[in-house]
Structures are given as structure tokens and as C-alpha cells.
Amino acid sequence: MDTEIRTASAPPQPVPQDGAGPFATYEARVASGKLDRDPEQEKAARRLDRLWRELRDYHPMVMQRQATARHGLFGGLRARLGLGGRGAQAAPSRPRGVYMVGQVGRGKTMLMDLFFDLAPVEHKRRVHFHRFMQDVHQRIHDMKVADPALSDPIPPLARQIAQEAWLLCFDEFQVNDIADAMILGRLFDFLFADGVVVVATSNTKPEDLFQDRPGADAFKPFIDIIMREVDTVILDSPRDYRRGCVRGMRTWIVPADAAAKAELDTIFTHLAAGAPVQAVDLDIMGRTLRVERAAGPVARFTFAELCGRFLGAGDYLALATRFASLVIDDVPRMGPDNFDEARRFIVLIDALYEQNVKLFASAGDQPDSLYERGQGATAFERTASRLEEMQSASYAQLPHLSA
Ligand SMILES: Nc1ncnc2c1ncn2[C@@H]1O[C@H](COP(=O)(O)OP(=O)(O)O)[C@@H](O)[C@H]1O
Ligand SMILES: [Mg+2]
């Protein structure tokens, strides 16, 4: 699942009102053997359960404003006087969101998805954080094109986002660059003012987001906002539930020598299934990303082409959406001097993984040993774990998400 928005304009979705909450549902899955018992997960499920109960009685500001606008002055007056109706409360206290932190494979995403499905909220959205930021940049771009005189797109943008969905569930919350950092603080300030509730998973505690980077100081107020609005829940279990997958076909070829190249040639030809090899231009917000070697549903790059130049999350998402399979030659072992390449590779693999893109690569070493030392080496552990999972038979069967 990548992006899911459920709004009033979408086909009506059942909004669970009663029945089992996240904790009872989690316990039932443990009892039936679908999940292993994990006290850390139970702790998180309890916290999500509390939020689930709080949400049943919560009507955010943004929905009240909409109701007021719909019902005109009289309705607005009734609401302000507290005369009945759903929009009656003046300033409802906003439930604190939940921010789940832990290493890879601890079940954060599983728990968030379980919560999201049960959340008694009509206007809810579950999205990978890269995708959300991409959407934010796109909308800012569109707003500026539509109204060149618009000096500050953030307030209307925040209102738009809040009106579409006021429960926002972000998978893999992170802050990639200073451009995102600058937008996020103000955007979230407005979102929270409209009553939005946030649930997130992350590998990084809020207080550590975007630290040790140029511009980190400017980002501090955002960290304060996040910490004011959400409770951090740490999932600290010793187990990585992703390890131990059954190996599928050979997808990660070490070393990256002539034999590996020949093997990738064969794979590329096989995946192309007769489609001609040609250059393809992808449009990314008015920019063009040229893919030199594309053939039907597969594209081929060297590592240097993909991660050795200024490509970002937007480019990688476009690739991951357009191509069902990617062949990458020559992924090197990296060290402290290759921070930029390693960072881009992390973002690339996130994008591929989220869209279930099948990856075939030749590399200097196994995923675990690719980037052991250097800035962001800890974040790379998730990438290594994902690369492992992307080699599993079950991953190979997942359908490519092309939208
Ligand atoms: N308690 C559990 N028992 C069995 N499988 C689990 C359990 N918790 C998580 N998993 C599975 O392990 C994998 C990794 O979980 P995930 O939620 O993606 O981890 P994270 O988001 O923390 O990296 C998923 O396939 C998930 O369904
Ligand atoms: Mg996850």
C-alpha cells in the first residue's frame, strides 16, 4: 500500500465505528498465530488503541469550518453557541498523535496499517513520507503556476491537505534535505492548527530528525512542534521480523565483474520480453529525466548514473512508478567519502521497495557490508534489510504499484 486517501468525494468506504480496536485486533492475531507475541508491539498497540478511542469523539477544527461554511451564518452561530450538531464543540481538544520509532523490521508499519484500517475516521490518508513530500512540492508548484502573485502557498496548501484528510498516517517519516525542512515546520504548524492528527513510523526519534546537518538549527522549531503534538513510542524488541526470508532467483550478484554483467544482460533481455531498447524521457514536474536504456517494463542503469549525480526522491519515485523492474550495474562498497551516493541509494531503494519494483543488481558486496562506516550508516541498515527482503520469493510475487 502506498497512498490511500479516503475522503467524502471518494466512493463511500465503511467507517468502522464500533467493534475491536487496535489492541484487541492485535491480540486476536497473536492468539490465532498470525503474529508472534511481542511485548514492545503490545505497548505500541495499547497506545494506538487509546488514540483510536479518542478519535471516536473528536471533530477537528477543519471539519467544523467546513460545516460552518455549508450551513451559513446561522449554522455557524449555532455551532459557536454550542447548540447541538456535530460541529458544536468550540475548540475540541486534539488527541495527541503517535510517532513510532524503532529499527527496521520491528513491526512499525504493520501496526500503523492495522490502526489505519480501524480508525473511525472518514477523511484519512496513509502515505509514504517520500510520496507525501513529493505531492507537497507538486502542489506548491501548481499553485505558483496558477497564481504567480501568490507569495505564500503554505497556508492554503495546509488547508487543502487538512480538508482532504485530517488523520494523516506517514510511513517512514524523515527529513531529507533543507528544502523539505524549510517547508515542513510551517506546513505542520498550520495542519495542527486545523486539528489534524498525525501517526507516523520512523527510524529516527523526532529530536534527532535532520540533526548534524547544515541548517539543523532552523529546523529546531519543527521538532518542538512535533514533540508537542505526538507521543513517541519506541519499539525496541530484539527481533527483526524481516530476516530469514526464502531466497528467490538470483537478484544480487557479487562481485560486479564481467560475468555479473553478462548475467544482468540475460536478465535484462528476459524482462524486456522482446520490447526494443530505447531512451525514454520521464517528466518530473516540468523537468525531464532521461532514461538511456529502457525496454518495456524494465530499465537499466549503472550505479553512477543513478546515485552519482543530483537525482532526488522525485526522480526515483518516477522511475519506481514507471518501471516494474530495474537493473543496476556496479553498486560499489561505500565509505565515509561516499555519503552523498549512499544517501541517494537509501532514497532510491525506499522508492523501489514502496512500489514493489523488482531489483537486479551487481555489487561489490552483500547489502549488509555495502556501507558500514560513514554518516548515515545506521540509516543504511534499513536499506540493507530491504535489499534482503527484495530478494525473497514473497517479494518477487508482489504486484508492481504503478501509481
Ligand atoms: N509480531 C509479528 N509476528 C510476525 N510477523 C511480524 C510481526 N511483526 C511484524 N511482522 C512482519 O515482519 C515484517 C516487517 O514488519 P514491518 O511492519 O514492515 O516493520 P518496520 O516497519 O518496523 O520495518 C512484515 O512482513 C510484518 O508483517
Ligand atoms: Mg516500515
Side-chain angles (χ1 to χ4, degrees):
M1 180 166 43
D2 178 46
T3 303
E4 185 172 342
I5 307 183
R6 297 181 188 174
T7 66
S9 56
Q13 297 279 345
V15 177
Q17 284 294 348
D18 303 307
F23 185 68
T25 305
Y26 176 83
E27 287 295 307
R29 288 187 192 171
V30 171
S32 69
K34 285 194 194 115
L35 291 175
D36 299 339
R37 180 169 298 283
D38 182 326
E40 291 288 300
Q41 292 183 351
E42 277 179 354
K43 183 184 68 181
R46 274 187 209 282
R47 182 60 190 84
L48 290 167
D49 203 76
R50 189 178 113 201
L51 177 58
W52 172 77
R53 273 180 277 118
E54 288 167 347
L55 287 178
R56 289 193 291 195
D57 303 318
Y58 173 62
H59 309 294
M61 219 52 200
V62 67
M63 300 317 288
Q64 297 192 30
R65 284 212 188 85
Q66 275 190 333
T68 307
R70 261 201 305 277
H71 298 125
L73 180 64
F74 190 58
L77 198 61
R78 282 175 64 87
R80 254 174 284 140
L81 293 173
L83 297 174
R86 284 193 127 221
Q89 299 97 323
S93 67
R94 177 170 59 250
R96 289 172 71 80
V98 178
Y99 184 109
M100 287 181 278
V101 190
Q103 290 180 324
V104 62
R106 293 323 189 251
K108 303 180 295 294
T109 301
M110 180 272 293
L111 286 167
M112 189 176 78
D113 287 344
L114 183 150
F115 167 83
F116 180 80
D117 287 338
L118 296 172
V121 172
E122 195 182 347
H123 301 258
K124 56 186 175 182
R125 176 179 187 187
R126 186 269 191 214
V127 61
H128 191 274
F129 196 68
H130 281 333
R131 171 71 72 176
F132 176 75
M133 278 319 296
Q134 176 71 8
D135 178 46
V136 163
H137 287 296
Q138 178 76 51
R139 289 192 199 201
I140 290 176
H141 174 81
D142 292 348
M143 284 170 140
K144 285 183 175 161
V145 170
D147 178 4
L150 182 67
S151 62
D152 185 4
I154 302 287
L157 172 66
R159 180 59 48 83
Q160 213 180 62
I161 291 172
Q163 282 175 347
E164 285 166 9
W166 59 262
L167 173 63
L168 299 177
C169 293
F170 296 116
D171 200 23
E172 305 205 349
F173 199 95
Q174 56 195 298
V175 182
N176 290 304
D177 52 43
I178 187 75
D180 287 0
M182 298 317 290
I183 293 171
L184 281 170
R186 295 190 61 239
L187 179 65
F188 274 73
D189 217 2
F190 283 107
L191 287 175
F192 288 129
D194 261 348
V196 163
V197 175
V198 166
V199 173
T201 78
S202 183
N203 295 106
T204 314
K205 288 185 196 156
E207 57 268 40
D208 295 337
L209 286 167
F210 204 66
Q211 292 310 290
D212 307 323
R213 305 266 293 271
D217 274 355
F219 192 63
K220 284 250 157 57
F222 175 55
I223 295 178
D224 293 341
I225 293 171
I226 288 284
M227 295 189 56
R228 198 178 66 217
E229 301 292 341
V230 303
D231 284 338
T232 305
V233 177
I234 311 251
L235 278 115
D236 204 11
S237 45
R239 207 167 139 192
D240 180 345
Y241 288 99
R242 275 192 188 146
R243 303 267 174 191
C245 289
V246 185
R247 289 291 154 121
M249 54 191 274
R250 199 160 130 101
T251 54
W252 191 263
I253 306 165
V254 178
D257 55 10
K261 184 176 175 302
E263 195 169 334
L264 290 179
D265 287 345
T266 310
I267 289 171
F268 184 66
T269 306
H270 173 74
L271 292 170
V277 181
Q278 57 192 13
V280 167
D281 287 333
L282 301 185
D283 178 57
I284 295 153
M285 269 189 257
R287 262 187 319 111
T288 300
L289 173 65
R290 168 147 285 222
V291 180
E292 292 292 347
R293 286 175 292 170
V298 57
R300 185 166 184 178
F301 292 92
T302 63
F303 176 86
E305 284 171 331
L306 273 182
C307 300
R309 56 195 180 116
F310 291 110
L311 297 184
D315 301 285
Y316 298 139
L317 269 170
L319 287 172
T321 312
R322 168 67 178 76
F323 296 103
S325 303
L326 213 60
V327 175
I328 305 178
D329 290 87
D330 299 327
V331 180
R333 272 185 63 103
M334 291 168 273
D337 292 341
N338 312 108
F339 169 60
D340 283 326
E341 285 98 323
R343 191 173 47 81
R344 290 190 201 111
F345 190 65
I346 289 173
V347 177
L348 168 68
I349 298 304
D350 281 346
L352 299 182
Y353 179 87
E354 277 300 313
Q355 307 304 122
N356 298 335
V357 174
K358 308 307 169 300
L359 173 67
F360 301 84
S362 64
D365 213 328
Q366 295 303 328
D368 271 352
S369 311
L370 275 182
Y371 187 63
E372 290 170 320
R373 285 177 313 107
Q375 204 183 342
T378 318
F380 201 88
E381 283 171 22
R382 182 187 72 220
T383 303
S385 176
R386 291 201 151 172
L387 288 170
E388 294 282 339
E389 190 182 346
M390 288 166 85
Q391 296 173 57
S392 71
S394 54
Y395 183 86
Q397 280 160 15
L398 295 176
H400 175 227
L401 301 176
S402 55

